[in-house]
Amino acid sequence: MALSAGIVGLPNAGKSTLFNALTRAGATVGNYPFTTIEPNTGIVPVPDDRLERLAEIFRPPRVIPATVTFTDIAGLVRGASRGEGLGNQFLGHIRETDAVVMVVRSFSDDDVSHVEGAVDPVRDIDLLELELALADLETVRRRLDRTERTAQLRKDKELQTMATLRRVQEHLDRGAPVRSLGLGDAERDLIRDLFLLTAKPLLVVANVGEADAAREVPDAVVERAARSGGEALAVSARIESELVELEPEDQRAFLAELGVEQPGLARLARAAYHLLDLVTFFTAGEKEVRAWTLPSGGTALDAAGSIHTDFARGFIRAEVIDAAALIDAGSYAAARERGRLRLEGRDYPVEDGDVVHIRFNV
């Protein structure tokens, strides 16, 4: 599965600067509202030391990392749900993403104006969540109106749908995100095709100044994100934009000087994986070393299907070894001699870091 995230934020929050740093896509950045008129999309490889170490063993012609697709849209402003500004026009571009990354400004700079007049990341989260909730509310109202008109045709199913829609509507009317409602699996299935923005997992990125890059996320931001059922991390978009211009050795020296252990991309990618409860498994051989993404709890059969439908259709067994064990052994042959390779059936729950070889017959 491919992971995708939509980036939202107020104008001048630094989201396009962060997007550029993550994707090197050259999205326009400027100190004025609505710089990002057209949505920008970039595919970012997820750094993984295990993938690099496996590639060193097998030296294949192709090394394929897991990726995250980021979509950056125009900045939202107060009243966006009523047509203010331009951001609301582009919310449709992120409705089908897996998660929402909310960038809020947590740095002070007299040369960079703030659309709300002063820096207050908690207020900005409140504002953005409200605008997303109001956009979802309009979507739910339209669907509820249409469902009520057709209820007599499919009475049982539509009654269930209407009950769920009304429950969601009441929750959104209170300004609360759908992700905090606690819907059951059946209820989520009934509204899945609405792609509600506030139902998506939320990651708040506090865009901090360079002096604060090594510090923890401000407690107030963490607490506010948690109230919306989300998580938070701190990243300095300015530092990240400088890092991408440096060679790897210079990047490490720069980060060490700042007291930062990892670049923002690695931390953001890991946070997104944690948010979506995903695991990474690998396929490794002389032709290709590749990282794959699977929902936590996914089985060997699910892993086979994500590689190729024929693998799932003709699944026999999965040969499995932990990446660390394979790297330590240095080869499949050595790992087999140590008894580290094992055969698993279709119901085996794939664990993060598994190297999987599917045995199949079609």
Side-chain angles (χ1 to χ4, degrees), residues 39-104:
N40 297 292
T41 298
I43 299 176
V44 180
V46 178
D48 195 317
D49 291 341
R50 299 169 299 184
L51 183 72
E52 296 175 8
R53 298 286 301 280
L54 290 170
E56 290 173 2
I57 293 174
F58 294 98
R59 301 190 179 279
R62 295 199 305 170
V63 179
I64 304 175
T67 60
V68 181
T69 298
F70 287 97
T71 299
D72 176 33
I73 65 169
L76 298 174
V77 296
R78 190 182 298 274
S81 59
R82 301 189 303 273
E84 295 293 331
L86 297 173
N88 194 50
Q89 299 177 25
F90 301 107
L91 286 177
H93 291 283
I94 64 170
R95 283 202 175 275
E96 295 189 32
T97 60
D98 299 306
V100 169
V101 175
M102 183 180 292
V103 180
V104 293

Side-chain angles (χ1 to χ4, degrees), residues 50-240:
R50 299 169 299 184
L51 183 72
E52 296 175 8
R53 298 286 301 280
L54 290 170
E56 290 173 2
I57 293 174
F58 294 98
R59 301 190 179 279
R62 295 199 305 170
V63 179
I64 304 175
T67 60
V68 181
T69 298
F70 287 97
T71 299
D72 176 33
I73 65 169
L76 298 174
V77 296
R78 190 182 298 274
S81 59
R82 301 189 303 273
E84 295 293 331
L86 297 173
N88 194 50
Q89 299 177 25
F90 301 107
L91 286 177
H93 291 283
I94 64 170
R95 283 202 175 275
E96 295 189 32
T97 60
D98 299 306
V100 169
V101 175
M102 183 180 292
V103 180
V104 293
R105 179 172 166 180
S106 298
F107 67 90
S108 297
D109 188 336
D110 293 338
D111 294 329
V112 181
S113 61
H114 194 295
V115 70
E116 287 290 313
V119 175
D120 184 342
V122 173
R123 176 208 57 212
D124 293 349
I125 296 171
D126 289 341
L127 193 159
L128 290 164
E129 276 280 81
L130 177 61
E131 294 302 331
L132 295 181
L134 290 171
D136 279 351
L137 186 58
E138 181 60 29
T139 299
V140 170
R141 283 173 175 166
R142 288 198 301 266
R143 173 60 64 84
L144 184 57
D145 182 61
R146 187 166 69 249
T147 304
E148 287 173 341
R149 291 199 306 267
T150 62
Q152 292 182 347
L153 301 177
R154 299 170 61 211
K155 187 172 182 180
D156 292 341
K157 176 70 175 295
E158 300 296 17
L159 287 176
Q160 296 172 16
T161 302
M162 285 191 295
T164 300
L165 288 170
R166 289 186 182 120
R167 187 180 174 205
V168 171
Q169 182 182 34
E170 290 173 2
H171 195 67
L172 288 167
D173 268 330
R174 294 193 291 271
V178 177
R179 78 180 70 84
S180 67
L181 180 54
L183 294 173
D185 291 341
E187 291 175 305
R188 284 195 293 270
D189 287 342
L190 289 172
I191 62 169
R192 192 178 304 279
D193 64 339
L194 293 181
F195 300 107
L196 298 177
L197 294 164
T198 64
K200 301 179 187 302
L202 172 68
L203 178 63
V204 174
V205 175
N207 183 15
V208 299
E210 295 182 46
D212 297 320
R215 298 179 182 175
E216 297 293 328
V217 191
D219 289 342
V221 174
V222 173
E223 292 167 4
R224 178 59 187 85
R227 289 204 305 272
S228 285
E231 299 181 8
L233 80 160
V235 172
S236 172
R238 180 172 295 180
I239 287 177
E240 297 304 319

Side-chain angles (χ1 to χ4, degrees), residues 48-54 57-58 66 270 273 277-284 289-298 303 319-328 332 340-342 348-357:
D48 195 317
D49 291 341
R50 299 169 299 184
L51 183 72
E52 296 175 8
R53 298 286 301 280
L54 290 170
I57 293 174
F58 294 98
R270 288 188 178 91
Y273 266 61
D277 199 19
L278 302 173
V279 299
T280 299
F281 73 94
F282 305 95
T283 51
V289 171
R290 182 166 182 167
W292 303 81
T293 302
L294 196 68
S296 180
E319 194 171 41
V320 180
I321 181 174
D322 179 70
L326 179 55
I327 292 166
D328 182 61
Y332 282 122
R340 301 306 299 272
L341 281 164
R342 61 188 190 278
Y348 165 73
V350 175
E351 297 183 5
D352 187 70
D354 278 348
V355 181
V356 179
H357 175 73

Side-chain angles (χ1 to χ4, degrees), residues 19-31:
F19 176 84
N20 285 356
L22 291 171
T23 66
R24 305 188 189 193
T28 304
V29 182
N31 180 26

